[in-house]
Amino acid sequence: MATVLLVRHGRTTANATGLLAGRTAGVALDSTGKQQAARTAERIAAVPLAAVVSSPLERCRQTARAITAFQDGTPEQRIERGITECDYGEWQNRKLADLAKEPLWRTVQTNPSAVVFPGGESMQTMQSRAVSAIRRLDAEIEQEHGPHAVWVAVSHGDVIKSILADALGMHLDLFQRITVGPASVSVVRYGEHRPEVAATNTDSGDLSWLRAAAAPTGDAAVGGGAGNETGTASP
């Protein structure tokens, strides 16, 4: 099975000021975010990538360009609307501190499956279209490049959290238990029987183990297995 690296974009000017940017155009990485993206690109550089897929929003495209620039080869590059930011509707461009006073905020924290953002989309819709896009792309990339293919999807915090929740078999109402920091890398493989989540929310550490890792057979190793052949611990 192929391996997908779920990468959140680096920090933006909106993140730094506590603003919910949503799908606002022109929200770019700040200086810290650019450094984060470069550090993540260096971590991933040890792994030849089959493809780098990005949300259409500028902050993700900037992060994707940094990752591609550190590759020895030229991986396929795609823009995928299915992994774009949640449509927060009337919440977009508002301060998080102010949104925390809204009655809906508590529902977002405790019962996100029931949330429909005013003038926007539901969190269930966000998860459904993001998971569908990732699974479709993963199957296409594996078919084209083989079961050892590694590819990157650059997306947004809530979107990646919802994808990880699905891969972990968690109800969407539990997805706030997952943390996905700026420019973090999470690792997922979609197997015959179930997804395999190899790492979540990593922002440091060697990723070269992905280059040498054998493609999983689809069955979980009883007892935990022997680990990576290189002897390098996964993040």
Side-chain angles (χ1 to χ4, degrees), residues 38 94 138 205 214:
R94 293 182 60 192
D138 190 73

Side-chain angles (χ1 to χ4, degrees), residues 92-105:
Q92 184 168 290
N93 280 329
R94 293 182 60 192
K95 289 280 189 179
L96 292 172
D98 293 334
L99 292 171
K101 301 172 186 176
E102 298 276 351
L104 185 61
W105 179 271

Side-chain angles (χ1 to χ4, degrees), residues 6-188:
L6 301 170
V7 177
R8 184 184 169 193
H9 61 79
R11 196 182 81 169
T12 68
T13 51
N15 295 145
T17 58
L19 193 72
L20 183 63
R23 297 181 178 181
T24 303
V27 176
L29 303 182
D30 64 8
S31 58
T32 296
K34 291 175 182 177
Q35 293 172 3
Q36 291 170 336
R39 184 170 65 245
T40 296
E42 287 184 280
R43 294 180 65 207
I44 296 174
V47 187
L49 298 175
V52 178
V53 181
S54 175
S55 155
L57 296 179
E58 177 62 21
R59 54 197 184 268
C60 289
R61 290 190 285 117
Q62 284 181 284
T63 304
R65 285 195 294 269
I67 292 169
T68 302
F70 271 81
Q71 287 287 300
D72 285 337
T74 306
E76 177 187 358
Q77 299 172 63
R78 299 192 200 181
I79 299 296
E80 172 56 54
R81 295 187 179 278
I83 60 172
T84 196
E85 179 64 287
C86 183
D87 183 355
Y88 294 113
E90 295 171 15
W91 276 32
Q92 184 168 290
N93 280 329
R94 293 182 60 192
K95 289 280 189 179
L96 292 172
D98 293 334
L99 292 171
K101 301 172 186 176
E102 298 276 351
L104 185 61
W105 179 271
R106 186 62 182 167
T107 309
V108 171
Q109 304 304 312
T110 60
N111 189 24
S113 68
V115 170
V116 181
F117 291 101
E121 71 179 335
S122 71
M123 299 196 88
Q124 283 191 326
T125 298
M126 174 195 73
Q127 182 184 45
S128 177
R129 48 100 170 157
V131 169
S132 177
I134 289 293
R135 288 179 178 254
R136 170 177 51 79
L137 288 162
D138 190 73
E140 290 174 0
I141 290 167
E142 179 173 337
Q143 183 175 25
E144 182 176 353
H145 297 279
H148 291 275
V150 180
W151 64 285
V152 165
V154 185
S155 187
H156 308 268
D158 280 348
V159 175
I160 294 175
K161 285 167 61 175
S162 74
I163 294 167
L164 288 171
D166 170 77
L168 289 164
M170 295 170 58
H171 194 281
L172 184 59
D173 284 345
L174 303 178
F175 100 132
Q176 300 293 20
R177 300 183 182 192
I178 300 170
T179 297
V180 174
S184 64
V185 179
S186 300
V187 182
V188 178

